[in-house]
Amino acid sequence: MLSRLRALLRRDKFEHDLDDELRLHIELRAADLMRAGHSKEAAERQARLEMGSRERFKEEVRATAGIRFFDELSQDLRYALRVLRQSPIFTAVAIGSLALGIGMNTALFSVVNTLLIKDLPYRDADRLVYVTEYWPHEPVMPGPPSPDFASWRAHLKSVDGIAAYGGGANALNLTGEGQPERLQGTMVTSQLLDLVGCTLAVGRNFSTEEDQLGAAPTVILGYGLWQRRFAGSPDVIGKVIQLNGEGRTIVGVLPAAFAFPDNNFRHELLVPMALPPNPNWHDPEHFRALRVLVRRRPGVSLSALKQDLASVLQATAAEEPAQMVTMRKNMEVRVTPLRLWLTGNVRTAVLVLEGAVAMVLLIACLNIASLQVARAIARKKEIAVRAAIGASGARLVRQLLTENLLVCGFAGLTGLVLGYMSLGALRKVLPVNLHLADTLRLDSSVLAYTLGITLAAGIVTGLVPALAALRTVIHDALKEEGRSTGSRGQHRVRGVLIIAEIAAAMVLLVGSSLLIRTFLRLASANLGFEPQGVLTLKVAPSPRKYPDAAKRAAFCKQIFENARTIPGVQTAAVGDALPLVGGGGFAGTSFEGLPQPPLGGRPSLPVAFVSPAYFQALQIPLLRGRVFTESDRQPAPLVALVNEAFSQEFFAGNALGKRIEVGSREGRWREIVGIVGNLKVQGRGPTDSFLVYVPIEESFDPETFLILKSSLPPSGLVGAATKAIHAADPAQPVFDISSMEDRVSDSLSTQRANMTLMGVFAALALILATVGIFGVIAYFVNSRLQEIAIRIALGASGRTVVGMVLSHGMALAAAGIAAGIGGALILNRTLGSLVEGIGTNDAVSFVAASLLFGAVAAIACSIPARRASRVDPMVALRHG
Amino acid sequence: MPPPTELLPGTLDLLILKAVSLGPHHGYGVLLRIEQISGAALKIEQGALYPALHRLEHGGLLASEWGVSENNRRAKFYSLTTAGRKRLRSERDGWERLVVAMTAALATRPEEV
């Protein structure tokens, strides 16, 4: 190959030399002839004649020099271009459908590459492991408690790094210069940034001293905040900013590219966690539920790490108070590698979608292969002539392959462009809440993948038909009269190809109709509340300004009174929890009349703190009893509302009038005065089957939603609502503003994205398969024109002819549909991971997909069928 | 002079090697030399000569060098390489064996069988 290449590069010189050599020969010969007595002209002519065709020499000489390969290649290419130009429709369809297939595969592969293959953008990411705890009796425990973290930090042997973050409310009010702003920050231990290998843009990481209880407050700014509030000035280091009314010194700024991929990790700003030196179980103020990240030492297995984590805790278990022992009975430490942690929930979805686009590409390839088989037969004569004048079989196959590789080359380029363009859309539509999605790009491995599938497509679409055509063509083409119908073998090849195509498209159709059905079911489900016309805004009175529940309650009441007077507002309410969003808290609950369980043994149940109008604003139905009233505040008796599920679970449906104690253990019994309907938000957001409602005045949660029900569009109320809040406290940031309808819509974004992508893929597959059926049937009609003409001449009606063609096409379609149903049943479990609540054997989906396909196939067949029925027997027989 | 004989297949290479072994030649020189040493009994198909020369060169049996011809033109002169010399020897031995065998075979009379 190398010498061939050299020969090619030397080619000009080579030609030149050869010309010189041959010219010399002719001159010398002519001179000899002249000496023998010929005239000059006669001698030259004679010399030339003897030499014969110079070109033929050259050709042979070139062949020995290894140049022929490239000559033939360029010949093949020129020829292929000519052939492709001659059938522009075929070429356009082929390039277009392959480009779509390749483009979607490229885009999807870049997602797979980013999420599942490429190195994560953190140092030693392969050794980073998340540590969580599972408490069977407290399944809502949000993370390992700080004492466990402290024990691990002191005693773990199998890790060379450990850090924690999270551990409490992470929103802070920035006040001082400019608009007050609510910022999302995270508490971190000083080791975290080093653990993930983050180098700060400006300044430095927290020192160990700054991460200690009682240290002077410090903060690290996120890049965005730094740019927005401080214009990216490096002078911010050392400056003091007011956060929640407390001065904090800026020590560093995170780099722009820093994206810690956990959704719970907000990096507008970081503050030191400042755990006490020995966090212990008896210090509730510094008790935190953490997110813990460790780096395994090289060579330590996950199970060894898990063992180490568990045995450290066993060694310190004696320090645990009795209540923790009860709550943590049968506790399990769980370890999850970082990548799995980040991608666990989207992994399957991405792989299923990747499978779907691979199928679309396969269909496109089969389509073109089938068209090529048909064309190869139509080109029988041409191929046979080329074979007869000396083209070898290999040369002919190479020619056909060159054609297909050329088509695929164009398609690959177009596909790359399409893939690149769809990256942006994919980034938005992907069910990925990860920052990782921002790093999607077409890098070298994606390009290599595209090249690979392009070549594979070229070979699949070219080699199969080329070999099939060659086999028959060379043997019988010249014997026939060029009105051949193709051998039975080729009909079979095309039949199998088209059935495979329909089957693949059917699998996608069934999958997508399952997703559509899931989506429709979720979208139309009764949520247990009415989102229409509801605007929600969040405020978070800072604990310094509003240190106790009474102050906060007064502030909330003020807001709520202001908001009530906004024109168009029918109902105004406040509450610390929202359906689909969550919020509220958990509290240990006792039931009057039952023996009091030991400390920590009470069930921890979700509690929402709400104002009386909350139920009216969200239209959560009151089933029995009454809702809260303005007079339900101390010193009036304590009251609570519960939902239907709570009533069923703990009081067999008769909760009304019973008494429970929520949170405290001091005999502060509260009467259940009403039972309200359940929220039905399974699969769409935080779900609490049981729910206790307590008057907002007792809330200890600083974050509160203002809920406005109005007959006007909610977006029109934002300004007035913000004003109502600022009228109560102008330094109060308002955030998380959204209509309830938008929240409902957001809650379905994953399902919507899956449905949309799968729907697009299935639609493409359907279109491609339809083109395939159309092509095969049209070819079938063309190749049988004579037979059809004879039938018509002998008296067959148009209807009979249409029936004949249709039955041929529909038989293929039926076989494909049947195969597709089989395939979908086999792929059942994979599809099952994408759909919720609808069995994957959902008959409606299967029937709908089959009917749709049958109808489309019938239309695709009917066009050539109608043409067949209009065949003029005389014309067909004369020219057929 | 009897009409020139057509070459047996495969003998052209041997003749070229032989011609070149007598001294470097350009293509036309090789042609003349073959005619000369065969007493004009062998007719070289001109169209076969140059591909054969290039093939032998490509195979490393001939080396070439650009020089100036007798009529002052740029000319490519071929000479024998060591490999070419070896090949010439072995081909000649083979040819001689063949000739002996063919002669013996063709001289055979019926009673000798």
Side-chain angles (χ1 to χ4, degrees):
Chain A
M1 190 66 205
L2 212 62
S3 74
R4 282 174 169 177
L5 206 60
R6 267 204 302 275
L8 185 71
L9 295 174
R10 287 197 324 243
R11 176 171 186 149
D12 279 349
K13 177 168 162 32
F14 178 87
E15 292 280 323
H16 185 68
D17 288 351
L18 192 59
D19 277 342
D20 277 1
E21 207 177 357
L22 296 180
R23 196 181 312 121
L24 176 72
H25 184 107
I26 290 169
E27 281 177 17
L28 290 174
R29 176 69 183 151
D32 281 354
L33 287 169
M34 274 161 71
R35 240 171 276 141
H38 288 76
S39 73
K40 189 167 183 267
E41 289 74 27
E44 281 176 358
R45 194 162 152 267
Q46 173 76 13
R48 267 203 192 96
L49 275 177
E50 282 176 10
M51 177 63 90
S53 157
R54 237 196 316 188
E55 286 307 313
R56 210 186 83 221
F57 284 9
K58 282 190 177 174
E59 189 60 34
E60 284 186 35
V61 173
R62 275 185 214 128
T64 53
I67 281 181
R68 192 166 71 184
F69 178 80
F70 286 96
D71 273 353
E72 289 181 0
L73 184 67
S74 82
Q75 246 177 42
D76 282 354
L77 276 176
R78 278 197 305 269
Y79 187 76
L81 273 176
R82 211 158 58 227
V83 167
L84 293 178
R85 264 206 305 272
Q86 272 164 12
S87 41
I89 294 183
F90 165 79
T91 308
V93 167
I95 292 180
S97 51
L98 274 181
L100 278 176
I102 291 174
M104 286 188 303
N105 272 277
T106 299
L108 240 288
F109 180 76
S110 68
V111 175
V112 171
N113 185 40
T114 305
L115 295 187
L116 309 179
I117 299 173
K118 204 162 63 177
D119 283 343
L120 294 170
Y122 311 106
R123 194 177 59 188
D124 296 324
D126 292 343
R127 292 198 278 130
L128 292 179
V129 177
Y130 264 96
V131 180
T132 51
E133 291 180 6
Y134 175 66
W135 302 3
H137 301 287
E138 290 284 317
V140 291
M141 177 66 197
S146 38
D148 285 356
F149 172 69
S151 308
W152 284 330
R153 191 162 58 175
H155 303 298
L156 272 187
K157 290 184 187 65
S158 51
V159 305
D160 55 16
I162 177 167
Y165 63 94
N170 49 16
L172 299 157
N173 291 347
L174 174 66
T175 51
E177 303 158 37
Q179 274 283 106
E181 198 174 349
R182 183 74 170 167
L183 296 173
Q184 298 294 319
T186 304
M187 287 195 281
V188 301
T189 62
S190 60
Q191 305 91 351
L192 184 79
L193 292 180
D194 297 333
L195 188 66
V196 298
C198 166
T199 313
L200 294 173
V202 185
R204 55 170 178 82
N205 188 6
F206 301 120
S207 67
T208 321
E209 291 70 38
E210 283 159 353
D211 185 23
Q212 270 167 11
L213 189 60
T218 47
V219 62
I220 289 178
L221 301 182
Y223 191 84
L225 175 67
W226 181 49
Q227 293 293 330
R228 192 171 70 237
R229 295 287 295 224
F230 304 97
S233 156
D235 303 335
V236 291
I237 304 300
K239 245 180 128 172
V240 175
I241 55 172
Q242 294 295 316
L243 288 165
N244 276 1
E246 179 186 40
R248 281 185 179 269
T249 311
I250 299 171
V251 299
V253 177
L254 290 174
F258 183 74
F260 200 70
D262 183 337
N263 286 328
N264 291 290
F265 190 90
R266 316 290 175 149
H267 43 268
E268 276 184 300
L269 44 83
L270 305 181
V271 296
M273 188 170 298
L275 289 172
N278 288 307
N280 62 60
W281 298 104
H282 308 285
D283 179 11
E285 196 193 335
H286 298 106
F287 179 96
R288 303 184 196 289
L290 300 176
R291 294 184 170 259
V292 177
L293 190 61
V294 301
R295 186 173 57 221
R296 291 185 267 174
R297 288 186 190 282
V300 172
S301 70
L302 279 179
S303 56
L305 173 65
K306 190 171 169 173
Q307 185 58 45
D308 192 13
L309 288 161
S311 55
V312 166
L313 292 192
Q314 260 157 29
T316 57
E319 300 163 19
E320 286 178 35
Q323 98 186 64
M324 288 313 294
V325 175
T326 322
M327 284 172 76
R328 276 150 65 97
K329 213 161 118 191
N330 300 325
M331 179 193 85
E332 186 194 341
V333 178
R334 292 182 172 174
V335 289
T336 317
L338 181 63
R339 186 188 295 275
L340 199 61
W341 175 273
L342 298 180
T343 59
N345 53 340
V346 294
R347 196 187 185 87
T348 326
V350 167
L351 288 178
V352 167
L353 291 175
E354 173 72 24
V357 290
M359 234 177 251
V360 172
L361 182 61
L362 180 69
I363 293 172
C365 287
L366 292 178
N367 222 349
I368 291 162
S370 137
L371 283 173
Q372 285 283 42
V373 169
R375 269 163 48 87
I377 293 160
R379 289 168 63 186
K380 222 169 184 178
K381 278 264 177 188
E382 168 210 329
I383 292 170
V385 168
R386 300 191 68 209
I389 60 172
S392 65
R395 183 77 205 281
L396 285 175
V397 170
R398 209 168 84 192
Q399 165 62 43
L400 292 173
L401 262 183
T402 307
E403 258 176 65
N404 282 288
L405 282 174
L406 199 63
V407 166
C408 291
F410 284 129
L413 281 179
T414 322
L416 207 55
V417 175
L418 282 180
Y420 182 74
M421 293 192 316
S422 55
L423 273 192
L426 208 54
R427 214 173 274 149
K428 282 195 206 94
V429 84
L430 257 193
V432 185
N433 301 321
L434 306 174
H435 302 303
L436 269 188
D438 300 338
T439 66
L440 277 187
R441 48 197 50 110
L442 296 184
D443 59 12
S444 54
S445 40
V446 176
L447 290 180
Y449 175 83
T450 308
L451 186 66
I453 58 173
T454 303
L455 283 178
I459 289 167
V460 168
T461 57
L463 202 54
V464 177
L467 289 177
L470 202 64
R471 218 177 30 236
T472 44
V473 158
I474 293 194
H475 293 131
D476 59 17
L478 290 177
K479 286 181 287 184
E480 287 184 26
E481 277 293 88
R483 45 175 70 160
S484 58
T485 56
S487 69
R488 189 167 292 176
Q490 272 157 1
H491 273 309
R492 206 165 44 229
V493 171
R494 281 204 310 284
V496 169
L497 287 177
I498 204 72
I499 289 172
E501 216 176 279
I502 296 173
M506 261 299 284
V507 171
L508 292 186
L509 265 189
V510 168
S512 109
S513 63
L514 280 174
L515 289 178
I516 291 172
R517 292 252 302 150
T518 306
F519 183 80
L520 290 181
R521 196 185 59 87
L522 285 173
S524 64
N526 175 11
L527 294 165
F529 70 96
E530 177 51 62
Q532 207 196 340
V534 176
L535 175 70
T536 58
L537 313 89
K538 208 170 187 183
V539 291
S542 78
R544 282 188 177 238
K545 200 160 174 188
Y546 303 95
D548 54 41
K551 286 233 167 56
R552 276 201 301 277
F555 172 62
C556 287
K557 187 164 167 50
Q558 185 63 54
I559 292 176
F560 151 79
E561 293 294 342
N562 293 347
R564 222 165 26 180
T565 61
I566 298 172
V569 169
Q570 295 163 338
T571 313
V574 289
D576 71 345
L578 273 185
L580 297 174
V581 178
F586 287 83
T589 305
S590 329
F591 301 89
E592 194 180 35
L594 289 180
Q596 186 76 296
L599 222 56
R602 302 193 297 177
S604 183
L605 298 176
V607 184
F609 296 88
V610 303
S611 73
Y614 184 84
F615 304 96
Q616 196 193 340
L618 290 169
Q619 306 212 340
I620 298 172
L622 176 70
L623 303 177
R624 246 160 296 165
R626 62 169 178 91
V627 295
F628 301 133
T629 65
E630 289 296 325
S631 54
D632 279 332
R633 68 181 62 173
Q634 290 179 336
L638 294 170
V639 291
L641 292 171
V642 297
N643 68 355
E644 174 71 10
F646 183 101
S647 171
Q648 288 295 344
E649 173 72 16
F650 299 104
F651 296 102
N654 298 315
L656 205 61
K658 303 291 195 313
R659 298 212 300 167
I660 55 177
E661 183 169 19
V662 179
S664 65
R665 296 179 69 106
E666 299 147 6
R668 300 179 65 219
W669 296 105
R670 54 180 74 237
E671 186 185 339
I672 296 173
V673 294
I675 299 171
V676 295
N678 297 331
L679 298 175
K680 296 167 192 140
V681 293
Q682 270 84 358
R684 311 178 52 166
T687 54
D688 305 319
S689 45
F690 315 129
L691 194 49
V692 181
Y693 296 93
V694 170
I696 186 80
E697 285 78 9
E698 299 174 51
S699 166
F700 47 76
D701 187 347
E703 298 200 346
T704 307
F705 288 100
L706 173 62
I707 303 155
L708 301 177
K709 168 86 173 178
S710 149
S711 51
L712 304 173
S715 54
L717 291 176
V718 175
T722 312
K723 218 177 278 169
I725 293 167
H726 282 158
D729 180 353
Q732 178 59 53
V734 180
F735 57 103
D736 200 2
I737 302 170
S738 179
S739 75
M740 224 36 218
E741 281 171 303
D742 285 349
R743 293 189 197 275
V744 169
S745 164
D746 287 350
S747 73
L748 288 176
S749 58
T750 303
Q751 286 87 344
R752 186 180 296 114
N754 282 340
M755 179 187 74
T756 310
L757 284 178
M758 198 73 173
V760 167
F761 298 155
L764 276 172
L766 180 66
I767 292 170
L768 290 177
T770 309
V771 171
I773 301 173
F774 175 80
V776 165
I777 299 305
Y779 180 76
F780 171 80
V781 168
N782 266 350
S783 62
R784 298 243 174 138
L785 272 186
Q786 264 187 302
E787 179 197 329
I788 294 169
I790 292 170
R791 282 170 187 266
I792 293 177
L794 292 180
S797 69
R799 190 177 294 175
T800 322
V801 171
V802 169
M804 179 186 98
V805 175
L806 270 185
S807 71
H808 177 74
M810 293 315 283
L812 288 177
I817 289 171
I821 289 176
L825 287 174
I826 293 168
L827 290 176
N828 220 325
R829 277 188 48 213
T830 328
L831 287 173
S833 62
L834 286 185
V835 301
E836 286 160 29
I838 282 199
T840 42
N841 290 329
D842 178 49
V844 175
S845 297
F846 280 87
V847 171
S850 307
L851 286 181
L852 178 60
F853 223 115
V856 168
I859 293 170
C861 295
S862 69
I863 298 167
R866 279 166 60 87
R867 216 179 68 201
S869 71
R870 292 210 209 93
V871 164
D872 179 342
M874 284 324 291
V875 176
L877 288 173
R878 207 175 300 127
H879 297 291
Chain B
M1 194 171 83
T5 316
E6 291 291 325
L7 277 184
L8 282 174
T11 50
L12 177 60
D13 286 7
L14 179 54
L15 283 174
I16 291 175
L17 290 177
K18 179 64 196 174
V20 172
S21 76
L22 301 173
H25 284 291
H26 51 65
Y28 188 63
V30 172
L31 187 81
L32 292 180
R33 177 57 61 90
I34 292 176
E35 285 183 13
Q36 182 210 345
I37 58 181
S38 72
L42 294 175
K43 168 117 179 95
I44 304 297
E45 191 59 59
Q46 295 190 15
L49 176 68
Y50 286 91
L53 282 171
H54 281 261
R55 190 169 58 242
L56 291 171
E57 187 189 1
H58 198 66
L61 303 178
L62 294 182
S64 71
E65 203 179 355
W66 285 93
V68 179
S69 69
E70 54 271 36
N71 63 345
N72 252 340
R73 292 292 189 141
R74 188 168 169 264
K76 192 175 179 187
F77 287 88
Y78 294 92
S79 57
L80 215 53
T81 62
T82 319
R85 205 171 304 283
K86 237 184 247 166
R87 172 68 66 85
L88 174 61
R89 205 174 305 133
S90 73
E91 294 250 323
R92 196 182 50 211
D93 293 352
W95 178 253
E96 278 165 3
R97 276 197 301 278
L98 178 69
V99 169
V100 170
M102 284 297 291
T103 315
L106 294 175
T108 308
R109 287 188 303 262
E111 59 271 29
E112 288 177 40
V113 182

